[in-house]
Amino acid sequence: MNHAPAKRITPEDIKTHGLSDDEYKKVLEVLGGREPNMVELGIFSVMWSEHCSYKSSKKWLKTLPTKASWVICGPGENAGVIDIGEGLAAIFKMESHNHPSFIEPYQGAATGVGGILRDVFTMGARPIANMNALRFGDPKHPKTKHLVAGVVSGIGGYGNCVGVPTVGGEVNFHPSYNGNILVNAMTVGLAQKDKIFYSAAAGAGNPVVYVGSKTGRDGIHGATMASTEFDANSEDKRPTVQVGDPFTEKLLIEACMELMATDAIQSIQDMGAAGLTSSSFEMASKGGMGVELNMNAVPQREEGMTPYEMMLSESQERMLIILKPGKEELARKIFEKWELDFAVIGHLTDTGRMVLKFHGETVCDLPIDPLAQASPEYDRPWLASTKQPVVAAKDVKNVPWRDALKTLMGCPDVASRRWVWEQYDHMVMMDTVQRPGGDAAVVRIHGSNRALAISTDCTPRYVKANPFEGGKQAVAETWRNITAVGARPLAITDNLNFGNPQKPEIMGQIVEAIQGIGDACVALDYPVISGNVSLYNETDGKPILPTPAIGGVGLLDNLDQMTTLAFKAEGEAILLLGQKDDAGWLGQSLYLREVCFEEKGAPPPVDLAHERKVGDYVRGLIHSGKITACHDLSDGGLMVALTEMALAGNLGCRLENIAAPLHAALFGEDQGRYIVTVKAADAVATLEATKAAGVPAKQIGAVGGSAIFLGGESVELEALRKLHEGWFPAYMATAT
C-alpha cells in the first residue's frame, strides 16, 4: 500500500467527518504519524462517532447492574439474553432511529424496525414481538401530523409485512420534540438457550461471508448524521436515510434460521449503523482477529461504487457471517434458495488489522482495536440538575373533577392510541394474549401455557425536572406494568435519548438519569441486559426533554393467572393499594399541565423499597386468584386509571372514601400504587391481609352502572369514551 494518501486530508474533510481536532491527532497517533486516506478517514469517522462508540456515555453505562442468575448475556452483544426456563431464552433490545425518522418518517421508522429485528435474530432468536416508544412535537406544530402519519405507517408497513406482531408501545407529544422526534423500536425473540449465536470472530483463514441484499449508496454517513445536532438544513440529509424492504428481511430471517440449524456458523453479526465497517471491525475486535476483505466481491446494486461508499453504506437487510472451514457451499445453497445474495468477501487473519483490497490494490490498512474496543472515552464535565420545589396541593387550582377528567381523557398524552395500533398487525403468529391498550403486552410462548409480558415506558417531564428520580421512575413504571398483568419482571433494555453531551447541563441529565436507572434496577432485581444511546437530539440548540426510554420483559409462568385492567362485574369492590398518605402529588402532573397550563415542580419521588414490597404483594394476590382486575397508577393519577378500567370493561363505578383535597387525591401522580378489584365477599379479608403484610390499602368504591359517580355527581362513560377515543382520529383527519 502506498501510505501517502491520494488526496491530502483537509481541515474541512475532518470537520465534515465529525472528528474533532484532538480526535484527528489521535488518528495520526494510531497510524504512527501518517495521514489516513479518505477510506480510512471515513472508517474512523463512523467507528468513533457517538452513535457507534458511545464515547460520551460509556463511562457511566459501565456502572449499570447487568448480572443476575437468569442473565445469559448482558450488554456488549447485538442483544441481551435471559434464561426463561424449560430450555428457552428470551433475547431483546431497544434501539433508536430518531434522526432518520425526522428527515424521512416512513423509511426512518421502517428501517428502525428492520434493524432491531436483525439485532435479535442474529443471536439465533425467532422474533415474536415488536414494541415502540414514540415522541412527537406539539400537535399544533405544522410538521407533527405529517411525522406521526409517516412514522406509524412505516412501523406498520415493515412489521406487518415481515410477519412479526407489533403488540404495544407508547406515544407522547411535547413541543421539545418539534425539531427532533424520537422513534425507539424494540424486538423480543425466543431461542433455545443452548443455540445462541455470538459475534466474536475466530479462526484465522475462516471465510467472511456477506449475505442478504446488495449494497447501495443509501445510508452513507448515517451513523455520523445520527451523532450531530439538527439545524435549518437538516432536510438536506435525506440521502443518509436508508431504504428498507421487509419482504427481503423475512427471507433473510428464514435463511439465517435455516443456516443456524446446521453447524456451519462460527459467528454472525447484522450490518446496522456503519454497515460493513462496524460489523467487520466489531466481530474481529471481539475475537482478537484481523480481517482481509476483497471489496470487488461485495454485492453491489449501483455502478462504480468505491470502497469508501461500500464500507460506509447502511443499506438494509444485510448480514456478515464467519463460516467454519468448508461450509461455504452448504451456506450458499441455503441463501440462493431464499433468493438472497451470498458472497465470500474475505477471510480472517491473525494480524489484528483490517486490510481492504480493491482491484488488487490495498486501499485501507488499519489496526482494529483502536477503532473498536479502544475507541475514545470521554469524562465530560457535567452539572448537577437544579432541583425543583415541591408543589403543594393548596397552591394548585382545584378544578371540578368532572371537568378535569374530561380534559385529561381527551388530551393528546392520555387519549386512546387505537388509531395507532389498529394500523399494526398485533395478532400475526396468533400468540398475542393481551393486545395493545393494557398495562403490558402479553405474548404466549408458542405451544405452552407460559407467556412473556413486555412494556415500554418513560415520563420525560419527570426526568427534566429531576433526572435521578425520573430515571428511577421509568424503570419502576415498566416493572409495575409487568407486575400488573401477573408477570415477574426479569430484565430491561434502555434507550437513552438526550441532547448535546458537550453541554454540562445535558451531560448532567445523562449522568443522573443513569444513576437513577441503576439504583432502580438494583432495588427491583431487574438488570440492564442491552440498550442504545442516542445523543445530540437537538435542533438549533434546543434540546428534547431527556427521555431514557425503558423496555421491560417479564415471565408469566401460568397464563391462567394473568389479569387485565378491565372491570369485570357489577358489585365488585375497588381497592387502592400502595397509597402511602393522602397528600396527592401534583408537581409535574398531567393535571397541572393539561388542566392548569403549568409545567412546574418536583416530580413524584420513587420509594424503591415501597415499590418492591407493594409490587411483589400485588403479584402474589393476582396469582392467588382473588384479583379480578388490576391496573397500576401513572399519568393522570387515580381518576384516569379508574376511567381506563371502566372503559375497558364497559362498566362504571361508584367512588367513596376519597381523601381531601379532591383534586390532589384524584389526579396526583404518587408512585407505587395499584387499583385492584375483588369480589365483594372477599373485600374485607383482602384488606385485612394486605394491611397485615404492611401494604397500605383501602376500599374506595364498587364497580357498577354506566358512569363514574362521586359525591353526588357523575360523568357518563359514553361521553368519556367519545373524548378518549375521538382525539386521535379527529386530529389525524383534519387538514394540515
Side-chain angles (χ1 to χ4, degrees), residues 552-575:
V553 172
L555 179 65
L556 194 58
D557 286 310
N558 182 354
L559 269 169
D560 296 335
Q561 295 178 331
M562 182 189 77
T563 192
T564 66
L565 60 78
F567 285 153
K568 301 300 187 300
E570 295 264 354
E572 292 191 338
I574 301 170
L575 312 182

Side-chain angles (χ1 to χ4, degrees), residues 371-409:
L371 282 94
Q373 293 182 359
S375 59
E377 178 177 327
Y378 295 135
D379 184 3
R380 295 198 185 278
W382 61 279
L383 292 174
S385 301
T386 303
K387 301 302 180 281
Q388 303 299 308
V390 174
V391 175
K394 64 181 177 60
D395 296 326
V396 177
K397 185 179 179 183
N398 192 339
V399 175
W401 71 266
R402 296 166 71 251
D403 296 337
L405 180 60
K406 289 177 183 177
T407 297
L408 286 171
M409 293 308 294

Side-chain angles (χ1 to χ4, degrees), residues 345-360:
I345 63 169
H347 60 274
L348 297 182
T349 70
D350 58 6
T351 65
R353 299 187 72 82
M354 177 66 66
V355 176
L356 306 181
K357 299 289 184 77
F358 187 57
H359 296 311

